[in-house]
Amino acid sequence: MQARKIIDKFQTKDSGAIREATWEILRSNNREVFAELKDYLPKFREILASVDMGGMLHRNAKDTELAFGYIEDTCNGVCRCRLYIGQNFFDPEKEAVCGFLYIVKSEVKVSLYERHFTARCQGCSKLLQVREVHGWHVPWYEWGDA
């Protein structure tokens, strides 16, 4: 991820480009790039306020605001694992593939249509409990401290 590419995507004021930039941020943990982007957050927020990001069940602008908060938290020394609490779309297996987590334990609860994970943050070693629920069209996740 490069700061200049993220800045350029926001400056297009195109919702698709902003969504791409948002997910590049959320899939990164590059403190140096985040430090560069932090000064642009007021301008990014101004742009976000002027763009219809869409999203029927989940407003895409919420993801972008989450990315902004993640940049601020990272620059203030807060570990990435704080990002998961209160979110329902971060898949612990994908986070493990990206190197952000280590899956300690995974257990299928067939009668509940759920899978439960215990994961360890690679940044601070904190243990997290994750409930993966399959009762809807797409799985969603409930994150909490172990």
Side-chain angles (χ1 to χ4, degrees):
M1 181 177 76
Q2 297 174 2
R4 183 77 255 159
K5 287 185 178 183
I6 298 296
I7 294 163
D8 290 346
K9 286 179 182 182
F10 273 93
Q11 289 177 337
T12 67
K13 297 183 181 178
D14 173 74
S15 63
I18 293 171
R19 264 194 311 279
E20 285 177 19
T22 295
W23 283 98
E24 285 180 46
I25 293 165
L26 291 173
R27 287 284 172 234
S28 178
N29 204 21
N30 190 322
R31 289 173 173 83
E32 292 83 25
V33 172
F34 289 177
E36 289 180 58
L37 293 175
K38 187 176 180 185
D39 291 338
Y40 288 89
L41 290 179
K43 182 64 176 167
F44 289 172
R45 284 190 167 104
E46 184 180 306
I47 291 168
L48 183 62
S50 70
V51 175
D52 180 4
M53 293 294 293
M56 191 172 188
L57 298 175
H58 175 81
R59 302 299 300 161
N60 294 320
K62 284 188 169 200
D63 297 340
T64 306
E65 280 294 340
L66 179 66
F68 296 162
Y70 176 46
I71 290 169
E72 291 167 335
D73 284 351
T74 301
C75 289
N76 290 324
V78 177
C79 186
R80 177 184 173 82
C81 66
R82 178 68 186 104
L83 177 67
Y84 306 130
I85 305 302
Q87 302 306 318
N88 63 4
F89 53 85
F90 286 106
D91 178 340
E93 291 181 307
K94 288 181 182 175
E95 295 300 299
V97 168
C98 291
F100 301 131
L101 299 173
Y102 171 75
I103 304 293
V104 175
K105 179 180 169 188
S106 172
E107 180 181 5
V108 175
K109 305 278 188 173
V110 176
S111 64
L112 299 174
Y113 299 98
E114 295 180 358
R115 187 158 57 156
H116 294 194
F117 296 89
T118 301
R120 182 177 308 281
C121 175
Q122 295 285 60
C124 69
S125 298
K126 182 178 185 175
L127 283 177
L128 300 161
Q129 290 293 113
V130 187
R131 232 176 100 222
E132 178 184 68
V133 180
H134 286 272
W136 300 91
H137 294 289
V138 295
W140 60 269
Y141 306 89
E142 180 179 84
W143 291 79
D145 295 332

